[in-house]
Every structure is written in C-alpha cells, then in structure tokens.
Amino acid sequence: MTAQTQSRVWIPTNLVAIALCAFIGLAIVGIAGHAQTTALHDAAHDTRHAAGFPCH
Amino acid sequence: MFSRILVSGLFAGFAAGLIAAGLQLVFVQPILLQAELYESGQITHFGAAETGAAVAAGGGIDLLRDGLSVLFTTLIYTGYALVLVAAMALAEDRGVGITVRQGLLWGLAGFASVQFAPAVGLPPELPGSAAAEMGLRQAWWFGTVGATAAGIALIAFGKGWTARAVAAVLILAPHAIGAPHPETFAGPVPPELAGMFAGRALGVGAVAWVLLGLFAARFWIREGERAEDTPRTA
C-alpha cells in the first residue's frame, strides 16, 4: 500500500520536473536562437549562423 | 529531480558552450567576416580579393561582437543541455541506465537531430546567401529537428519492426517533403566560401555536441551520487 502510494506520487513529480526542464531548455534555444526581434537578432547573429539556424 | 536536471544541464551546457564558442571564433568567424564583405559589396565574386588568405589570417577580435557571440553560444548550448539532460532523466526514469560513455552517443544523437539533419536541407548559411522566406525555413527546421530526434529515440528505445519503420519515416519525411529554397540561387558570396563555412560549422557542432553529451552524462551521474550522499531531512 505504502509502496503503491509512493510510486503514484513519485513518477508524476519526476515527469513534471523533466517536462519543465525540457521546456526551459527549448525556450532558451527558441528565444536566443530563433526569435526575430532586431536587438536579439543582431546580438546573436554570428552564433545563429554558426549554429546553422535559419537567420535572415 | 528538478534541481538535478537543472544543475547538470547548466554545468554541461556552459562547459560545452564555451568550447563551441572558442572553436567558432577561430574556425568559423573569419569565413563569416569575409562573407559580410561580399554581402555589403565591398568585395565582389570574381574580383581580385585574396579571400583564402584573409580567412587563413583570421578576422581579429571585436570585443563586443565576439563577446556577444560567446554569451549567446553558451546560452544556446545551455538550452540544448537542459533538453538533453531532461531526456536522460526520462530514460533513467524508465529504467535505462546512463553511463558517461553512453553520453557520447547521446551527444552524437543530439548533433544528428539538431545540426546534421537540418543541414541536409538547409546547410549552415553565410550572410548574403540566397534563401527562401524566413518563416518557412524556421518551420521546416523545427519540424526536421523534432522528427529526427523522435526517429532516433524510437530506434534507440523502441521495440519491434513497427517502431523501426516509423523511425525511418520520421527521419526521411522532412527530406522527402524538401526544405524551402529560393527560386534562384543568386547570392553574392562565392560557393567555395559557403562550402567551407558549412563544413566548419558542422565540424564545430559535432565536436561541441559530443562533448555536451559526455559532460551531460558526467554531471547527471555526479549530481545523482551527490543527492544520494545527502541525508534526507524532510
């Protein structure tokens, strides 16, 4: 019973943490690498070209 | 779990990102600077400019510009690392162990998904290259990265021939659909320069991703051991 309760709580917590971290990572790549705001584009310009991202 | 992923991802991404930034500045940036001279018309294709020698000589250091490149490269690799470590955490949660040596394979898979597969349709482009509309290229790029990563995950962790067949379809589909290209290729940059740029950008990416995989696995394992050593207080 105890083990069952624990595993029920434990697995979703892990999945939420995993999803959250993956989302933060994707958001960083999306904003730093792909957002088309002029200031961001200019600052990240050389990095975007070198990383092979579509740039302009 | 959250802090274990976050801490491993930050360390691994920062370390691999710094190395990637250094390699980019030495090997990739001089080509990009030359391409900008063609883009702006300061030198022209079939002109007498000694571009090869200029690339070999390097481009010098521009503190602000290169500093921003180092910052953004480490930032982007930190983003990659968080996704990579989250995927490792998911694998471990499902009973697939992670070793440092396997980190190398994770890194290669990341490189194949995020840099190599999109480069098959849209090679890393120099400033001034002729290219299709931005939104279309971004959509194809994201679609290709997602489909390739899902395909590789299915090959690595799926069971049976159905999984392998779906993986093959996922990996091939973006290329069967085809990347968006302009109707005519009429960029001002010499193809020799563009080829060198694509090759070097991919080479630097491969090195940095393999290191990222190794670092991610190393820090992931270390943070796990540390969590076990710490007595639980709550």
Side-chain angles (χ1 to χ4, degrees):
Chain A
M1 184 64 193
T2 316
Q4 213 175 27
T5 317
Q6 267 180 352
S7 71
R8 241 186 239 163
V9 179
W10 186 69
I11 292 171
T13 319
N14 274 357
L15 287 185
V16 168
I18 289 166
L20 195 61
C21 287
F23 177 77
I24 297 171
L26 287 175
I28 293 174
V29 175
I31 295 167
H34 297 271
Q36 286 302 301
T37 329
T38 311
L40 265 179
H41 168 272
D42 293 351
H45 176 267
D46 298 351
T47 300
R48 290 179 179 192
H49 277 281
F53 297 159
C55 192
H56 45 75
Chain B
M1 173 65 90
F2 181 74
S3 66
R4 185 180 168 194
I5 301 175
L6 205 63
V7 170
S8 333
L10 287 179
F11 280 133
F14 193 70
L18 274 184
I19 295 170
L23 292 172
Q24 275 169 17
L25 284 180
V26 174
F27 294 106
V28 183
Q29 188 71 6
I31 306 173
L32 198 142
L33 292 174
Q34 283 300 305
E36 283 184 343
L37 298 178
Y38 286 97
E39 187 188 23
S40 63
Q42 288 178 58
I43 49 179
T44 52
H45 194 187
F46 298 118
E50 292 187 356
T51 302
V55 167
I61 298 276
D62 176 338
L63 269 186
L64 177 64
R65 180 174 181 166
D66 295 341
L68 281 170
S69 293
V70 172
L71 184 76
F72 275 91
T73 304
T74 45
L75 202 56
I76 285 169
Y77 272 86
T78 305
Y80 290 159
L82 287 173
V83 179
L84 191 66
V85 178
M88 287 179 173
L90 184 64
E92 204 170 81
D93 199 57
R94 299 295 162 93
V96 180
I98 308 283
T99 65
V100 175
R101 245 187 261 176
Q102 280 165 358
L104 198 143
L105 286 175
W106 282 81
L108 273 176
F111 169 72
S113 310
V114 179
Q115 293 207 278
F116 191 68
V120 171
L122 296 172
E125 63 195 31
L126 277 171
S129 301
E133 200 234 315
M134 183 67 190
L136 289 176
R137 280 183 292 143
Q138 278 190 333
W140 188 87
W141 189 91
F142 278 107
T144 304
V145 170
T148 310
I152 293 176
L154 269 178
I155 292 171
F157 304 115
K159 288 185 181 73
W161 287 102
T162 319
R164 284 170 202 155
V166 173
V169 170
L170 279 170
I171 291 170
L172 290 173
H175 308 288
I177 295 166
H181 285 295
E183 293 196 355
T184 52
F185 292 108
V189 178
E192 292 87 343
L193 211 54
M196 211 195 293
F197 181 79
R200 288 194 188 185
L202 285 174
V204 169
V207 171
W209 265 103
V210 166
L211 291 174
L212 182 67
L214 287 172
F215 294 160
R218 179 75 194 86
F219 284 115
W220 171 249
I221 293 164
R222 196 194 68 169
E223 288 304 307
E225 286 164 356
R226 197 171 276 191
E228 274 170 22
D229 290 344
T230 315
R232 286 179 193 178
T233 48

